[in-house]
Amino acid sequence: MAKQKPRHMAQRGTRREAVPAQDASFEAWRDDDLPRHEQGEEPTRESDDQLHADDSFVDPLPAGEGIRTPTYSRQQLESDRRRREEALEGVRPRHHGRKLLAIVLVLVALGAALGLCYHVWLQIPITVIVDGKQVRTDHQGTTVQTLFEQTQPDVTAGNLLSVTGDVLTQGGGDAYEATVNGNAVSPSDASGYAIKANDQVSFQNGSDVTESYTVGEQTTVQPKLRMEGNEGVIFYVKQWGKPTVTQKETGDQSGQSIDAVVSQGQDLVVERANVHPADGQKLVALTFDDGPSEYTQKYLDILNQYGAKATFCELGQQIQEDPDASKAVVDAGMQLVSHTWDHQQLTRCTAEQVKSELDQSFQEIQSVTGVTTTTLRQPYGSMNANVWLYSGGSMSVAAFWTHDSEDWRRPGPDAIVANCTSYFQPGSIILMHDGGGNRDQDVDALPKIIQAWQAQGYTFVTLSELLDSDPDIPDDIASCQATMPSDAVWPTEIASDSANNAIP
C-alpha cells in the first residue's frame, strides 16, 4: 500500500516562492498569496479569527495530523510585498534613452543631407546681366564684389579727400558704385550681397571718400529774428527759430580743420501779409477794441440778431474790472484776444514793459475765461521788429485792420457806416471800439454795417476763422493759440538784412 504524504508536507511542497514576474500574471499571483482582506475582500468571521489570533496566521490541520506550518505576522507579509514590488521595478525595461539617441542620429543625418544638397546647388553656374551684357558666373551665391572682380568693368575709383575737400590720394576712395535691379548696393555691402539668376547689375565710377577725423569742441549759433513782407494787416510767426550747432573736425591724415554743421538751425521769421481766403470766399472779420464795457452786451445782442460773429480785443485791466462781460463774449461764441494790459504803445516801450503788457493780459484772459490765446491787437496799430523781439515768444499773431471806422472821432452813425463799407474785399478786417468812451454811435451804426456786407454775400467770421481760410497761414498760427515748440529758441537780436516793415 502506497504511503501517503503527510498533509503538511503536501502544503509545504506546493508553497510558491516570491519570484519577480514581468507580466500581468505576477500581479494576480501576488494577490493570491495575500490574505483575502488585503485583496479587497471582506473576511469571514472564521478567517478573521484565524488571522488575528495572537496577531499570526496558522494553517489549520486536523488534530494529530502532520506538523504545524510556519506562521507569518502581518509585518512580515507587508515587508514581503514591498520586496516584490521593488524587485518588479528593477526589472522593468527603460527605452527613453534609446529613442532620444535615435532621433538625434536622424536629425544629424538630415542636416548633413541638406548641407550636401546646398553645397551642390552653390556649384551650379547662373547667368546675370552686367551693364547690358549677359555674364555667366562660376556658381550660385556670387557676390557683387566677386562679380566686379570677374568682369572688371571700365570704371574709375573715387579719391580720398581731406576734411576741407583737397585730394589726398588719387583713386583712394570707393572702387565703384553698384546697383542691382535698380537698387543701390554700397561698397561696404558688396562683398556680402549675393546675386541671383537674371539679376541686372550695373557698375559706375566710385565715390570720393573723406579722410577720418578727430572731433573737437562744439559751438552753438543762436537764431536771429527776421522780418519779411512789406505790406499787409497781419503779422505772424512764419518760422520758429532753431540754433545751429557746429563742431571742429581735424583730419587725421591732413591735419586740416573745419567747422562742420552737426544740426542746421534757422532764423525766426515774422511775416507781414494780407489775408487771402481760399477760392475767394467772401469772409470779413469785425473787431471791437478797448473792452469790455457797458456796451459789450449790446454788441452781442446785435451780432446774435444778424447771425454774425466778431472778435473782441480786450484790455487785461478792463477784464479784471468786468470779468462777467468777458465771460459773456466767450459764451456767445465770439473770439477773445489781447489788447495789452493797459493800452501802452508798444513801439515806445522797453523790453521789460512789452513782455509785461503781453504776459499780464494773456494770463488775465486765461484766468477769467479759460481761453488760451497768443494773439494781439496792438494799441494804435503800432508794430515793429523790436516789439516782436521783446515779446520773448509769447505772441504768435498781431492783427491790424483794413477798415477804420474812426468811431473815436464820434463822426455820427452814418459816417461810421460809410468808413466801414467804403469797399468790399475778401479777407477784410473792420476796426470798431467797445470801450474807451461813449459808443452809442457804434451801437446805432453796427446793424447797418452788418446788413451792407451781408447784402454783398459776405459772412462775418472770427479772426481765427479768417486766418484759417488762407492756405498760406500755418494751421497752428491760424488757431491764434500757437506757442513756441519745445525745440525752438527765441532770438536775442534782429538780422541785419531784416525787412523794415514796421507800422509806426
mmCIF file of all heavy atoms in Angstrom, residues 53-69:
data_model
loop_
_atom_site.group_PDB
_atom_site.id
_atom_site.type_symbol
_atom_site.label_atom_id
_atom_site.label_comp_id
_atom_site.label_asym_id
_atom_site.label_seq_id
_atom_site.Cartn_x
_atom_site.Cartn_y
_atom_site.Cartn_z
ATOM 1 N N ALA A 53 -5.724 35.829 15.664
ATOM 2 C CA ALA A 53 -5.374 35.133 16.903
ATOM 3 C C ALA A 53 -3.898 35.275 17.151
ATOM 4 O O ALA A 53 -3.083 34.806 16.352
ATOM 5 C CB ALA A 53 -5.763 33.639 16.822
ATOM 6 N N ASP A 54 -3.495 35.942 18.241
ATOM 7 C CA ASP A 54 -2.105 36.210 18.588
ATOM 8 C C ASP A 54 -1.375 36.920 17.480
ATOM 9 O O ASP A 54 -0.170 36.753 17.260
ATOM 10 C CB ASP A 54 -1.348 34.906 18.931
ATOM 11 C CG ASP A 54 -1.957 34.224 20.152
ATOM 12 O OD1 ASP A 54 -2.438 34.980 21.034
ATOM 13 O OD2 ASP A 54 -1.931 33.003 20.170
ATOM 14 N N ASP A 55 -2.147 37.705 16.617
ATOM 15 C CA ASP A 55 -1.575 38.517 15.512
ATOM 16 C C ASP A 55 -0.752 37.649 14.582
ATOM 17 O O ASP A 55 0.314 38.000 14.122
ATOM 18 C CB ASP A 55 -0.707 39.645 16.043
ATOM 19 C CG ASP A 55 -0.437 40.670 14.970
ATOM 20 O OD1 ASP A 55 -1.306 40.819 14.062
ATOM 21 O OD2 ASP A 55 0.633 41.333 15.004
ATOM 22 N N SER A 56 -1.194 36.331 14.338
ATOM 23 C CA SER A 56 -0.451 35.453 13.432
ATOM 24 C C SER A 56 -1.435 34.602 12.659
ATOM 25 O O SER A 56 -2.616 34.520 12.979
ATOM 26 C CB SER A 56 0.517 34.549 14.233
ATOM 27 O OG SER A 56 -0.203 33.728 15.110
ATOM 28 N N PHE A 57 -0.889 33.929 11.638
ATOM 29 C CA PHE A 57 -1.728 33.082 10.821
ATOM 30 C C PHE A 57 -1.181 31.662 10.881
ATOM 31 O O PHE A 57 0.013 31.448 10.631
ATOM 32 C CB PHE A 57 -1.730 33.573 9.376
ATOM 33 C CG PHE A 57 -2.447 32.655 8.438
ATOM 34 C CD1 PHE A 57 -3.831 32.602 8.425
ATOM 35 C CD2 PHE A 57 -1.740 31.818 7.575
ATOM 36 C CE1 PHE A 57 -4.492 31.756 7.572
ATOM 37 C CE2 PHE A 57 -2.430 30.970 6.729
ATOM 38 C CZ PHE A 57 -3.810 30.935 6.720
ATOM 39 N N VAL A 58 -2.050 30.666 11.216
ATOM 40 C CA VAL A 58 -1.626 29.270 11.259
ATOM 41 C C VAL A 58 -2.517 28.463 10.351
ATOM 42 O O VAL A 58 -3.745 28.589 10.412
ATOM 43 C CB VAL A 58 -1.708 28.707 12.691
ATOM 44 C CG1 VAL A 58 -1.267 27.258 12.722
ATOM 45 C CG2 VAL A 58 -0.864 29.554 13.628
ATOM 46 N N ASP A 59 -1.908 27.685 9.463
ATOM 47 C CA ASP A 59 -2.679 26.853 8.566
ATOM 48 C C ASP A 59 -3.277 25.724 9.397
ATOM 49 O O ASP A 59 -2.534 24.850 9.917
ATOM 50 C CB ASP A 59 -1.781 26.296 7.477
ATOM 51 C CG ASP A 59 -2.574 25.667 6.370
ATOM 52 O OD1 ASP A 59 -3.821 25.812 6.364
ATOM 53 O OD2 ASP A 59 -1.924 25.039 5.509
ATOM 54 N N PRO A 60 -4.565 25.663 9.555
ATOM 55 C CA PRO A 60 -5.163 24.648 10.459
ATOM 56 C C PRO A 60 -5.088 23.233 9.881
ATOM 57 O O PRO A 60 -5.209 23.057 8.676
ATOM 58 C CB PRO A 60 -6.611 25.145 10.588
ATOM 59 C CG PRO A 60 -6.877 25.895 9.330
ATOM 60 C CD PRO A 60 -5.582 26.525 8.960
ATOM 61 N N LEU A 61 -4.880 22.257 10.755
ATOM 62 C CA LEU A 61 -4.865 20.841 10.374
ATOM 63 C C LEU A 61 -5.717 20.056 11.386
ATOM 64 O O LEU A 61 -5.865 20.473 12.547
ATOM 65 C CB LEU A 61 -3.441 20.269 10.392
ATOM 66 C CG LEU A 61 -2.497 20.776 9.285
ATOM 67 C CD1 LEU A 61 -1.102 20.227 9.558
ATOM 68 C CD2 LEU A 61 -3.011 20.325 7.938
ATOM 69 N N PRO A 62 -6.218 18.973 10.929
ATOM 70 C CA PRO A 62 -6.955 18.153 11.893
ATOM 71 C C PRO A 62 -6.038 17.750 13.037
ATOM 72 O O PRO A 62 -4.829 17.562 12.846
ATOM 73 C CB PRO A 62 -7.400 16.935 11.077
ATOM 74 C CG PRO A 62 -7.383 17.445 9.657
ATOM 75 C CD PRO A 62 -6.277 18.435 9.597
ATOM 76 N N ALA A 63 -6.614 17.580 14.174
ATOM 77 C CA ALA A 63 -5.816 17.245 15.361
ATOM 78 C C ALA A 63 -5.068 15.939 15.190
ATOM 79 O O ALA A 63 -5.614 14.951 14.715
ATOM 80 C CB ALA A 63 -6.747 17.139 16.606
ATOM 81 N N GLY A 64 -3.833 15.952 15.546
ATOM 82 C CA GLY A 64 -2.997 14.758 15.494
ATOM 83 C C GLY A 64 -2.422 14.462 14.156
ATOM 84 O O GLY A 64 -1.763 13.468 13.988
ATOM 85 N N GLU A 65 -2.697 15.303 13.097
ATOM 86 C CA GLU A 65 -2.155 15.014 11.761
ATOM 87 C C GLU A 65 -1.024 15.960 11.465
ATOM 88 O O GLU A 65 -1.169 17.176 11.598
ATOM 89 C CB GLU A 65 -3.251 15.166 10.696
ATOM 90 C CG GLU A 65 -4.282 14.068 10.750
ATOM 91 C CD GLU A 65 -5.195 14.124 9.569
ATOM 92 O OE1 GLU A 65 -4.857 14.797 8.581
ATOM 93 O OE2 GLU A 65 -6.269 13.500 9.604
ATOM 94 N N GLY A 66 0.070 15.479 10.978
ATOM 95 C CA GLY A 66 1.184 16.276 10.422
ATOM 96 C C GLY A 66 1.835 17.164 11.445
ATOM 97 O O GLY A 66 1.677 17.038 12.644
ATOM 98 N N ILE A 67 2.583 18.112 10.861
ATOM 99 C CA ILE A 67 3.369 19.082 11.644
ATOM 100 C C ILE A 67 2.813 20.467 11.380
ATOM 101 O O ILE A 67 2.393 20.791 10.280
ATOM 102 C CB ILE A 67 4.861 19.015 11.255
ATOM 103 C CG1 ILE A 67 5.388 17.586 11.467
ATOM 104 C CG2 ILE A 67 5.686 20.018 12.045
ATOM 105 C CD1 ILE A 67 6.789 17.383 10.954
ATOM 106 N N ARG A 68 2.830 21.370 12.414
ATOM 107 C CA ARG A 68 2.322 22.753 12.219
ATOM 108 C C ARG A 68 3.119 23.453 11.135
ATOM 109 O O ARG A 68 4.335 23.320 11.060
ATOM 110 C CB ARG A 68 2.480 23.570 13.514
ATOM 111 C CG ARG A 68 1.273 23.507 14.416
ATOM 112 C CD ARG A 68 1.577 24.315 15.660
ATOM 113 N NE ARG A 68 1.287 25.703 15.440
ATOM 114 C CZ ARG A 68 0.070 26.187 15.671
ATOM 115 N NH1 ARG A 68 -0.923 25.393 16.046
ATOM 116 N NH2 ARG A 68 -0.154 27.487 15.531
ATOM 117 N N THR A 69 2.388 24.178 10.294
ATOM 118 C CA THR A 69 3.040 25.010 9.248
ATOM 119 C C THR A 69 3.603 26.274 9.881
ATOM 120 O O THR A 69 3.163 26.698 10.950
ATOM 121 C CB THR A 69 2.018 25.425 8.184
ATOM 122 O OG1 THR A 69 0.980 26.164 8.804
ATOM 123 C CG2 THR A 69 1.447 24.211 7.475
#
